[in-house]
Amino acid sequence: MDLQARKRALQMIENGVFVLTARWENYSFASTVTWVTQTSFKPPLVAIAVKTDSGIYQGVKNSMRFGLHIVGEDQESFAASFFKPSRSDGSTINGHAYGLSPSGIPILRDASAFLECRVTGVVEEGDHHVFVGEVVEAGVRDDSKPLLLRNTRWSYGG
């Protein structure tokens, strides 16, 4: 197999940019993610792939809940602030304000929209595991177009 062709082809798969949040043992986690898709209408399900050696992975795996935040096309710097490990002081994560949902999930105030999900299944394959989550709450703060990975200076995949 031509490994460069494989990498280039995989990077051509359209990906949005999202911020994933979770909370476990009174600590709030957040991380930028790009491997996200809707998988069902009834019930409403999404799937996310999360790197297994990350703090956010432990937060989602242990709490079995997550917040998925849609990043607007003008929010690249917002998304970039979650590339580094999470630092939470109770009212901010990596400098961005959040509140807790009724079920305890951190909901970032700056995101264009969010989905709160309850994990219904996990596929444990490879260096990223896939969490399937049922959408239990949602909110839209503005009608921004979503930030697409191909429209940033970043690349991930391959």
Side-chain angles (χ1 to χ4, degrees), residues 68-135:
L68 182 65
H69 299 79
I70 292 81
V71 176
E73 67 183 350
D74 63 344
Q75 294 186 303
E76 189 172 327
S77 64
F78 168 70
S81 62
F82 298 101
F83 286 161
K84 56 191 171 209
S86 301
R87 288 188 307 277
S88 174
D89 67 8
S91 63
T92 66
I93 303 173
N94 292 7
H96 294 277
Y98 74 94
L100 294 177
S101 73
S103 64
I105 298 302
I107 303 298
L108 297 166
R109 300 194 194 287
D110 295 334
S112 293
F114 73 91
L115 301 169
E116 181 179 349
C117 300
R118 176 183 59 83
V119 174
T120 60
V122 183
V123 178
E124 296 181 343
E125 301 275 341
D127 60 2
H128 286 64
H129 290 177
V130 175
F131 292 95
V132 176
E134 181 176 2
V135 177

Short mmCIF file of all heavy atoms in Angstrom, two decimals, residues 68-135:
data_model
loop_
_atom_site.label_atom_id
_atom_site.label_comp_id
_atom_site.label_asym_id
_atom_site.label_seq_id
_atom_site.Cartn_x
_atom_site.Cartn_y
_atom_site.Cartn_z
N LEU A 68 -20.85 17.71 23.69
CA LEU A 68 -20.22 17.92 22.39
C LEU A 68 -20.58 19.33 21.94
O LEU A 68 -21.77 19.65 21.77
CB LEU A 68 -20.71 16.88 21.38
CG LEU A 68 -20.08 16.97 20.00
CD1 LEU A 68 -18.58 16.67 20.07
CD2 LEU A 68 -20.77 16.01 19.04
N HIS A 69 -19.57 20.17 21.79
CA HIS A 69 -19.78 21.58 21.47
C HIS A 69 -19.40 21.84 20.02
O HIS A 69 -18.30 21.51 19.58
CB HIS A 69 -18.93 22.45 22.41
CG HIS A 69 -19.30 22.25 23.84
ND1 HIS A 69 -18.86 21.17 24.56
CD2 HIS A 69 -20.10 22.97 24.65
CE1 HIS A 69 -19.37 21.23 25.78
NE2 HIS A 69 -20.13 22.33 25.86
N ILE A 70 -20.31 22.44 19.28
CA ILE A 70 -20.07 22.78 17.87
C ILE A 70 -19.37 24.13 17.85
O ILE A 70 -19.82 25.09 18.48
CB ILE A 70 -21.39 22.80 17.07
CG1 ILE A 70 -21.99 21.38 16.95
CG2 ILE A 70 -21.17 23.36 15.67
CD1 ILE A 70 -22.75 20.89 18.11
N VAL A 71 -18.25 24.17 17.13
CA VAL A 71 -17.42 25.36 17.05
C VAL A 71 -17.78 26.12 15.78
O VAL A 71 -17.82 25.55 14.69
CB VAL A 71 -15.93 24.96 17.05
CG1 VAL A 71 -15.03 26.17 16.87
CG2 VAL A 71 -15.59 24.21 18.35
N GLY A 72 -18.03 27.43 15.91
CA GLY A 72 -18.35 28.26 14.76
C GLY A 72 -17.12 28.56 13.91
O GLY A 72 -15.98 28.48 14.39
N GLU A 73 -17.35 28.91 12.64
CA GLU A 73 -16.24 29.13 11.71
C GLU A 73 -15.32 30.26 12.14
O GLU A 73 -14.17 30.31 11.70
CB GLU A 73 -16.76 29.36 10.30
CG GLU A 73 -17.54 30.64 10.10
CD GLU A 73 -18.08 30.78 8.69
OE1 GLU A 73 -17.71 30.01 7.80
OE2 GLU A 73 -18.91 31.69 8.50
N ASP A 74 -15.76 31.15 13.02
CA ASP A 74 -14.91 32.24 13.50
C ASP A 74 -14.32 31.94 14.88
O ASP A 74 -13.80 32.83 15.54
CB ASP A 74 -15.70 33.54 13.54
CG ASP A 74 -16.88 33.49 14.51
OD1 ASP A 74 -17.27 32.38 14.92
OD2 ASP A 74 -17.39 34.56 14.86
N GLN A 75 -14.36 30.67 15.31
CA GLN A 75 -13.91 30.31 16.65
C GLN A 75 -12.69 29.39 16.67
O GLN A 75 -12.51 28.58 17.57
CB GLN A 75 -15.05 29.64 17.42
CG GLN A 75 -16.21 30.56 17.70
CD GLN A 75 -17.24 29.87 18.57
OE1 GLN A 75 -17.76 28.81 18.23
NE2 GLN A 75 -17.52 30.47 19.72
N GLU A 76 -11.81 29.55 15.69
CA GLU A 76 -10.61 28.70 15.64
C GLU A 76 -9.76 28.83 16.90
O GLU A 76 -9.28 27.83 17.43
CB GLU A 76 -9.79 29.04 14.39
CG GLU A 76 -8.67 28.06 14.14
CD GLU A 76 -7.98 28.28 12.80
OE1 GLU A 76 -8.64 28.69 11.82
OE2 GLU A 76 -6.77 28.01 12.74
N SER A 77 -9.58 30.05 17.41
CA SER A 77 -8.76 30.22 18.61
C SER A 77 -9.43 29.59 19.84
O SER A 77 -8.74 29.05 20.71
CB SER A 77 -8.43 31.69 18.86
OG SER A 77 -9.61 32.41 19.11
N PHE A 78 -10.75 29.63 19.89
CA PHE A 78 -11.50 28.96 20.96
C PHE A 78 -11.18 27.46 20.93
O PHE A 78 -10.81 26.87 21.95
CB PHE A 78 -12.99 29.21 20.77
CG PHE A 78 -13.92 28.38 21.60
CD1 PHE A 78 -14.01 28.56 22.97
CD2 PHE A 78 -14.72 27.42 21.01
CE1 PHE A 78 -14.87 27.80 23.75
CE2 PHE A 78 -15.59 26.66 21.77
CZ PHE A 78 -15.67 26.84 23.14
N ALA A 79 -11.30 26.84 19.76
CA ALA A 79 -11.01 25.40 19.64
C ALA A 79 -9.56 25.09 19.97
O ALA A 79 -9.27 24.08 20.62
CB ALA A 79 -11.35 24.92 18.23
N ALA A 80 -8.64 25.95 19.54
CA ALA A 80 -7.21 25.70 19.77
C ALA A 80 -6.86 25.70 21.25
O ALA A 80 -5.91 25.02 21.67
CB ALA A 80 -6.38 26.75 19.03
N SER A 81 -7.63 26.40 22.06
CA SER A 81 -7.30 26.46 23.49
C SER A 81 -7.55 25.12 24.19
O SER A 81 -7.13 24.93 25.33
CB SER A 81 -8.06 27.59 24.18
OG SER A 81 -9.44 27.40 24.09
N PHE A 82 -8.19 24.17 23.51
CA PHE A 82 -8.43 22.86 24.11
C PHE A 82 -7.53 21.78 23.54
O PHE A 82 -7.76 20.59 23.75
CB PHE A 82 -9.92 22.49 23.97
CG PHE A 82 -10.81 23.46 24.68
CD1 PHE A 82 -11.47 24.45 23.98
CD2 PHE A 82 -10.93 23.42 26.06
CE1 PHE A 82 -12.28 25.37 24.64
CE2 PHE A 82 -11.73 24.34 26.74
CZ PHE A 82 -12.40 25.32 26.01
N PHE A 83 -6.47 22.19 22.82
CA PHE A 83 -5.44 21.23 22.38
C PHE A 83 -4.58 20.79 23.55
O PHE A 83 -4.04 19.71 23.54
CB PHE A 83 -4.53 21.85 21.32
CG PHE A 83 -5.14 22.00 19.95
CD1 PHE A 83 -4.57 22.88 19.05
CD2 PHE A 83 -6.24 21.27 19.55
CE1 PHE A 83 -5.10 23.03 17.78
CE2 PHE A 83 -6.78 21.42 18.30
CZ PHE A 83 -6.21 22.29 17.40
N LYS A 84 -4.41 21.65 24.53
CA LYS A 84 -3.56 21.36 25.68
C LYS A 84 -4.37 20.68 26.78
O LYS A 84 -5.61 20.74 26.77
CB LYS A 84 -2.89 22.63 26.17
CG LYS A 84 -3.87 23.74 26.50
CD LYS A 84 -3.16 25.06 26.73
CE LYS A 84 -4.20 26.15 26.85
NZ LYS A 84 -3.74 27.42 26.43
N PRO A 85 -3.70 20.06 27.75
CA PRO A 85 -4.44 19.41 28.85
C PRO A 85 -5.39 20.37 29.56
O PRO A 85 -5.12 21.57 29.67
CB PRO A 85 -3.32 18.95 29.78
CG PRO A 85 -2.13 18.77 28.89
CD PRO A 85 -2.25 19.87 27.86
N SER A 86 -6.48 19.84 30.05
CA SER A 86 -7.52 20.63 30.71
C SER A 86 -7.02 21.20 32.03
O SER A 86 -6.43 20.49 32.84
CB SER A 86 -8.75 19.77 30.99
OG SER A 86 -9.27 19.26 29.81
N ARG A 87 -7.32 22.48 32.23
CA ARG A 87 -7.10 23.14 33.51
C ARG A 87 -8.42 23.77 33.90
O ARG A 87 -8.91 24.68 33.22
CB ARG A 87 -6.00 24.20 33.41
CG ARG A 87 -4.60 23.60 33.26
CD ARG A 87 -3.52 24.66 33.35
NE ARG A 87 -3.71 25.77 32.44
CZ ARG A 87 -3.34 25.78 31.15
NH1 ARG A 87 -2.75 24.74 30.63
NH2 ARG A 87 -3.56 26.84 30.39
N SER A 88 -8.99 23.27 34.98
CA SER A 88 -10.31 23.74 35.41
C SER A 88 -10.20 24.34 36.80
O SER A 88 -9.54 23.79 37.67
CB SER A 88 -11.29 22.57 35.43
OG SER A 88 -12.52 22.98 35.96
N ASP A 89 -10.86 25.48 36.99
CA ASP A 89 -10.87 26.11 38.32
C ASP A 89 -12.28 26.14 38.91
O ASP A 89 -12.53 26.85 39.86
CB ASP A 89 -10.27 27.51 38.25
CG ASP A 89 -11.12 28.48 37.45
OD1 ASP A 89 -12.25 28.13 37.06
OD2 ASP A 89 -10.64 29.60 37.21
N GLY A 90 -13.20 25.43 38.31
CA GLY A 90 -14.58 25.39 38.81
C GLY A 90 -15.55 26.25 38.03
O GLY A 90 -16.74 25.99 38.03
N SER A 91 -15.03 27.30 37.36
CA SER A 91 -15.92 28.13 36.54
C SER A 91 -15.38 28.30 35.12
O SER A 91 -16.10 28.78 34.25
CB SER A 91 -16.12 29.51 37.18
OG SER A 91 -14.89 30.20 37.25
N THR A 92 -14.12 27.91 34.90
CA THR A 92 -13.55 27.95 33.56
C THR A 92 -12.75 26.67 33.30
O THR A 92 -12.27 26.03 34.23
CB THR A 92 -12.60 29.16 33.34
OG1 THR A 92 -11.45 29.00 34.16
CG2 THR A 92 -13.29 30.48 33.62
N ILE A 93 -12.66 26.33 32.02
CA ILE A 93 -11.75 25.28 31.57
C ILE A 93 -10.85 25.94 30.53
O ILE A 93 -11.35 26.51 29.55
CB ILE A 93 -12.47 24.08 30.92
CG1 ILE A 93 -13.51 23.47 31.86
CG2 ILE A 93 -11.45 23.01 30.50
CD1 ILE A 93 -14.37 22.39 31.22
N ASN A 94 -9.56 25.88 30.77
CA ASN A 94 -8.58 26.51 29.87
C ASN A 94 -8.97 27.95 29.54
O ASN A 94 -8.84 28.41 28.42
CB ASN A 94 -8.38 25.68 28.61
CG ASN A 94 -7.70 24.36 28.90
OD1 ASN A 94 -7.50 24.00 30.05
ND2 ASN A 94 -7.36 23.63 27.87
N GLY A 95 -9.50 28.65 30.55
CA GLY A 95 -9.83 30.05 30.41
C GLY A 95 -11.20 30.35 29.84
O GLY A 95 -11.57 31.52 29.68
N HIS A 96 -12.01 29.33 29.53
CA HIS A 96 -13.34 29.53 28.95
C HIS A 96 -14.42 29.15 29.96
O HIS A 96 -14.41 28.06 30.52
CB HIS A 96 -13.50 28.73 27.67
CG HIS A 96 -12.59 29.22 26.59
ND1 HIS A 96 -12.91 30.29 25.79
CD2 HIS A 96 -11.36 28.81 26.20
CE1 HIS A 96 -11.92 30.51 24.94
NE2 HIS A 96 -10.96 29.63 25.18
N ALA A 97 -15.38 30.06 30.13
CA ALA A 97 -16.45 29.87 31.11
C ALA A 97 -17.35 28.69 30.74
O ALA A 97 -17.62 28.44 29.56
CB ALA A 97 -17.29 31.14 31.21
N TYR A 98 -17.78 28.00 31.77
CA TYR A 98 -18.75 26.91 31.59
C TYR A 98 -19.69 26.85 32.77
O TYR A 98 -19.41 27.39 33.84
CB TYR A 98 -18.05 25.57 31.39
CG TYR A 98 -17.44 24.97 32.64
CD1 TYR A 98 -18.15 24.06 33.42
CD2 TYR A 98 -16.15 25.29 33.04
CE1 TYR A 98 -17.60 23.50 34.56
CE2 TYR A 98 -15.59 24.75 34.18
CZ TYR A 98 -16.31 23.85 34.94
OH TYR A 98 -15.77 23.30 36.07
N GLY A 99 -20.81 26.19 32.56
CA GLY A 99 -21.73 25.86 33.63
C GLY A 99 -21.99 24.37 33.57
O GLY A 99 -21.68 23.72 32.56
N LEU A 100 -22.52 23.82 34.63
CA LEU A 100 -22.83 22.39 34.64
C LEU A 100 -24.29 22.18 34.28
O LEU A 100 -25.18 22.88 34.77
CB LEU A 100 -22.55 21.78 36.02
CG LEU A 100 -21.08 21.75 36.44
CD1 LEU A 100 -20.96 21.19 37.86
CD2 LEU A 100 -20.23 20.95 35.47
N SER A 101 -24.53 21.20 33.42
CA SER A 101 -25.90 20.82 33.08
C SER A 101 -26.52 20.15 34.31
O SER A 101 -25.81 19.80 35.26
CB SER A 101 -25.89 19.84 31.90
OG SER A 101 -25.42 18.58 32.32
N PRO A 102 -27.84 19.93 34.31
CA PRO A 102 -28.47 19.23 35.44
C PRO A 102 -27.84 17.87 35.74
O PRO A 102 -27.82 17.43 36.89
CB PRO A 102 -29.93 19.09 35.01
CG PRO A 102 -30.16 20.28 34.13
CD PRO A 102 -28.85 20.44 33.36
N SER A 103 -27.28 17.20 34.72
CA SER A 103 -26.65 15.90 34.97
C SER A 103 -25.15 16.03 35.23
O SER A 103 -24.46 15.02 35.35
CB SER A 103 -26.90 14.95 33.80
OG SER A 103 -26.29 15.44 32.63
N GLY A 104 -24.64 17.27 35.32
CA GLY A 104 -23.25 17.47 35.72
C GLY A 104 -22.23 17.57 34.60
O GLY A 104 -21.04 17.51 34.86
N ILE A 105 -22.67 17.75 33.37
CA ILE A 105 -21.74 17.87 32.24
C ILE A 105 -21.35 19.32 32.05
O ILE A 105 -22.22 20.20 32.03
CB ILE A 105 -22.39 17.31 30.94
CG1 ILE A 105 -22.71 15.84 31.11
CG2 ILE A 105 -21.51 17.55 29.72
CD1 ILE A 105 -21.53 14.98 31.43
N PRO A 106 -20.04 19.61 31.88
CA PRO A 106 -19.64 20.99 31.61
C PRO A 106 -20.15 21.44 30.23
O PRO A 106 -19.94 20.76 29.22
CB PRO A 106 -18.11 20.93 31.59
CG PRO A 106 -17.75 19.65 32.28
CD PRO A 106 -18.89 18.72 32.03
N ILE A 107 -20.86 22.57 30.22
CA ILE A 107 -21.37 23.15 28.98
C ILE A 107 -20.66 24.50 28.80
O ILE A 107 -20.84 25.42 29.60
CB ILE A 107 -22.90 23.33 29.02
CG1 ILE A 107 -23.61 21.99 29.30
CG2 ILE A 107 -23.40 23.99 27.73
CD1 ILE A 107 -23.39 20.92 28.24
N LEU A 108 -19.85 24.60 27.75
CA LEU A 108 -19.07 25.80 27.48
C LEU A 108 -19.96 26.92 26.96
O LEU A 108 -20.75 26.72 26.04
CB LEU A 108 -17.97 25.48 26.47
CG LEU A 108 -16.93 24.46 26.94
CD1 LEU A 108 -16.10 23.95 25.77
CD2 LEU A 108 -16.04 25.09 28.01
N ARG A 109 -19.84 28.09 27.54
CA ARG A 109 -20.70 29.22 27.19
C ARG A 109 -20.37 29.83 25.83
O ARG A 109 -21.24 30.46 25.23
CB ARG A 109 -20.61 30.29 28.28
CG ARG A 109 -21.05 29.76 29.64
CD ARG A 109 -21.28 30.89 30.62
NE ARG A 109 -21.38 30.45 32.00
CZ ARG A 109 -22.40 29.80 32.55
NH1 ARG A 109 -23.41 29.48 31.81
NH2 ARG A 109 -22.39 29.45 33.82
N ASP A 110 -19.14 29.66 25.35
CA ASP A 110 -18.72 30.30 24.10
C ASP A 110 -19.03 29.50 22.83
O ASP A 110 -18.91 30.04 21.74
CB ASP A 110 -17.22 30.59 24.12
CG ASP A 110 -16.84 31.61 25.18
OD1 ASP A 110 -17.70 32.43 25.55
OD2 ASP A 110 -15.68 31.58 25.64
N ALA A 111 -19.41 28.26 22.96
CA ALA A 111 -19.65 27.42 21.78
C ALA A 111 -20.92 27.87 21.05
O ALA A 111 -21.87 28.35 21.67
CB ALA A 111 -19.78 25.96 22.17
N SER A 112 -20.93 27.69 19.74
CA SER A 112 -22.10 28.05 18.95
C SER A 112 -23.32 27.20 19.28
O SER A 112 -24.45 27.67 19.25
CB SER A 112 -21.79 27.92 17.46
OG SER A 112 -20.85 28.88 17.07
N ALA A 113 -23.09 25.94 19.60
CA ALA A 113 -24.17 25.01 19.94
C ALA A 113 -23.57 23.88 20.76
O ALA A 113 -22.35 23.71 20.81
CB ALA A 113 -24.84 24.47 18.68
N PHE A 114 -24.44 23.11 21.40
CA PHE A 114 -23.96 21.95 22.15
C PHE A 114 -24.98 20.83 22.13
O PHE A 114 -26.17 21.05 21.92
CB PHE A 114 -23.63 22.32 23.61
CG PHE A 114 -24.85 22.55 24.46
CD1 PHE A 114 -25.43 21.50 25.18
CD2 PHE A 114 -25.43 23.81 24.55
CE1 PHE A 114 -26.56 21.70 25.94
CE2 PHE A 114 -26.56 24.02 25.32
CZ PHE A 114 -27.13 22.96 26.03
N LEU A 115 -24.48 19.62 22.33
CA LEU A 115 -25.29 18.42 22.53
C LEU A 115 -24.81 17.78 23.82
O LEU A 115 -23.60 17.62 24.02
CB LEU A 115 -25.11 17.43 21.38
CG LEU A 115 -25.45 17.93 19.98
CD1 LEU A 115 -24.97 16.93 18.94
CD2 LEU A 115 -26.95 18.17 19.87
N GLU A 116 -25.72 17.41 24.67
CA GLU A 116 -25.36 16.64 25.86
C GLU A 116 -25.77 15.21 25.59
O GLU A 116 -26.90 14.96 25.14
CB GLU A 116 -26.07 17.18 27.09
CG GLU A 116 -25.69 16.42 28.34
CD GLU A 116 -26.37 16.94 29.59
OE1 GLU A 116 -27.00 18.01 29.56
OE2 GLU A 116 -26.29 16.23 30.62
N CYS A 117 -24.87 14.28 25.85
CA CYS A 117 -25.12 12.88 25.48
C CYS A 117 -24.84 11.92 26.63
O CYS A 117 -23.94 12.14 27.44
CB CYS A 117 -24.23 12.49 24.30
SG CYS A 117 -24.52 13.50 22.83
N ARG A 118 -25.62 10.85 26.62
CA ARG A 118 -25.44 9.72 27.53
C ARG A 118 -24.86 8.58 26.70
O ARG A 118 -25.43 8.20 25.67
CB ARG A 118 -26.78 9.32 28.13
CG ARG A 118 -26.75 8.10 29.03
CD ARG A 118 -28.16 7.76 29.52
NE ARG A 118 -29.09 7.50 28.44
CZ ARG A 118 -29.22 6.32 27.80
NH1 ARG A 118 -28.45 5.30 28.14
NH2 ARG A 118 -30.10 6.17 26.84
N VAL A 119 -23.73 8.03 27.12
CA VAL A 119 -23.08 6.96 26.37
C VAL A 119 -23.94 5.70 26.39
O VAL A 119 -24.37 5.24 27.45
CB VAL A 119 -21.67 6.66 26.92
CG1 VAL A 119 -21.04 5.45 26.23
CG2 VAL A 119 -20.76 7.89 26.77
N THR A 120 -24.20 5.16 25.19
CA THR A 120 -24.98 3.93 25.06
C THR A 120 -24.16 2.76 24.55
O THR A 120 -24.62 1.63 24.58
CB THR A 120 -26.18 4.15 24.12
OG1 THR A 120 -25.70 4.52 22.83
CG2 THR A 120 -27.11 5.22 24.67
N GLY A 121 -22.95 3.04 24.08
CA GLY A 121 -22.09 1.97 23.59
C GLY A 121 -20.68 2.47 23.37
O GLY A 121 -20.44 3.66 23.19
N VAL A 122 -19.72 1.52 23.41
CA VAL A 122 -18.31 1.85 23.21
C VAL A 122 -17.70 0.78 22.30
O VAL A 122 -17.90 -0.41 22.53
CB VAL A 122 -17.53 1.88 24.54
CG1 VAL A 122 -16.08 2.30 24.31
CG2 VAL A 122 -18.20 2.79 25.56
N VAL A 123 -16.97 1.22 21.29
CA VAL A 123 -16.20 0.31 20.43
C VAL A 123 -14.75 0.52 20.79
O VAL A 123 -14.18 1.59 20.56
CB VAL A 123 -16.45 0.60 18.93
CG1 VAL A 123 -15.61 -0.34 18.08
CG2 VAL A 123 -17.92 0.48 18.60
N GLU A 124 -14.13 -0.49 21.38
CA GLU A 124 -12.76 -0.39 21.88
C GLU A 124 -11.80 -1.04 20.89
O GLU A 124 -11.38 -2.19 21.08
CB GLU A 124 -12.66 -0.99 23.27
CG GLU A 124 -13.49 -0.23 24.28
CD GLU A 124 -13.42 -0.78 25.69
OE1 GLU A 124 -12.99 -1.94 25.88
OE2 GLU A 124 -13.79 -0.04 26.61
N GLU A 125 -11.47 -0.31 19.84
CA GLU A 125 -10.56 -0.78 18.79
C GLU A 125 -9.55 0.32 18.52
O GLU A 125 -9.91 1.50 18.47
CB GLU A 125 -11.32 -1.08 17.50
CG GLU A 125 -12.40 -2.12 17.62
CD GLU A 125 -11.87 -3.54 17.47
OE1 GLU A 125 -10.77 -3.72 16.92
OE2 GLU A 125 -12.59 -4.46 17.90
N GLY A 126 -8.29 -0.02 18.32
CA GLY A 126 -7.29 0.94 17.91
C GLY A 126 -6.91 1.93 19.00
O GLY A 126 -7.22 1.76 20.18
N ASP A 127 -6.22 3.01 18.58
CA ASP A 127 -5.74 4.01 19.54
C ASP A 127 -6.78 5.07 19.88
O ASP A 127 -6.56 5.91 20.74
CB ASP A 127 -4.45 4.67 19.05
CG ASP A 127 -4.60 5.39 17.72
OD1 ASP A 127 -5.70 5.43 17.16
OD2 ASP A 127 -3.57 5.91 17.23
N HIS A 128 -7.93 5.05 19.21
CA HIS A 128 -9.08 5.88 19.54
C HIS A 128 -10.26 4.93 19.72
O HIS A 128 -10.47 4.04 18.90
CB HIS A 128 -9.43 6.84 18.40
CG HIS A 128 -8.51 8.00 18.26
ND1 HIS A 128 -7.18 7.87 17.93
CD2 HIS A 128 -8.74 9.33 18.38
CE1 HIS A 128 -6.62 9.06 17.86
NE2 HIS A 128 -7.55 9.98 18.12
N HIS A 129 -11.00 5.10 20.80
CA HIS A 129 -12.20 4.30 20.99
C HIS A 129 -13.40 5.16 20.60
O HIS A 129 -13.38 6.38 20.74
CB HIS A 129 -12.34 3.84 22.44
CG HIS A 129 -11.33 2.81 22.81
ND1 HIS A 129 -11.22 2.30 24.08
CD2 HIS A 129 -10.38 2.18 22.08
CE1 HIS A 129 -10.25 1.41 24.12
NE2 HIS A 129 -9.71 1.32 22.92
N VAL A 130 -14.44 4.50 20.10
CA VAL A 130 -15.64 5.20 19.64
C VAL A 130 -16.72 5.09 20.71
O VAL A 130 -17.09 3.99 21.12
CB VAL A 130 -16.14 4.62 18.30
CG1 VAL A 130 -17.45 5.27 17.88
CG2 VAL A 130 -15.08 4.79 17.21
N PHE A 131 -17.20 6.25 21.14
CA PHE A 131 -18.32 6.31 22.06
C PHE A 131 -19.56 6.68 21.26
O PHE A 131 -19.55 7.63 20.49
CB PHE A 131 -18.10 7.38 23.13
CG PHE A 131 -16.99 7.07 24.09
CD1 PHE A 131 -15.71 7.56 23.89
CD2 PHE A 131 -17.23 6.29 25.21
CE1 PHE A 131 -14.69 7.29 24.77
CE2 PHE A 131 -16.21 6.00 26.11
CZ PHE A 131 -14.92 6.50 25.89
N VAL A 132 -20.63 5.92 21.45
CA VAL A 132 -21.92 6.26 20.87
C VAL A 132 -22.74 6.88 21.99
O VAL A 132 -22.83 6.31 23.09
CB VAL A 132 -22.63 5.02 20.29
CG1 VAL A 132 -24.02 5.37 19.78
CG2 VAL A 132 -21.78 4.38 19.21
N GLY A 133 -23.29 8.05 21.71
CA GLY A 133 -24.05 8.75 22.73
C GLY A 133 -25.43 9.15 22.26
O GLY A 133 -25.59 9.63 21.13
N GLU A 134 -26.41 8.95 23.13
CA GLU A 134 -27.76 9.42 22.84
C GLU A 134 -27.88 10.87 23.28
O GLU A 134 -27.52 11.22 24.41
CB GLU A 134 -28.79 8.58 23.58
CG GLU A 134 -30.21 9.02 23.30
CD GLU A 134 -31.26 8.16 23.95
OE1 GLU A 134 -30.92 7.20 24.66
OE2 GLU A 134 -32.46 8.46 23.73
N VAL A 135 -28.38 11.71 22.40
CA VAL A 135 -28.55 13.13 22.70
C VAL A 135 -29.71 13.28 23.68
O VAL A 135 -30.83 12.88 23.37
CB VAL A 135 -28.79 13.95 21.41
CG1 VAL A 135 -29.04 15.42 21.76
CG2 VAL A 135 -27.63 13.79 20.43
#
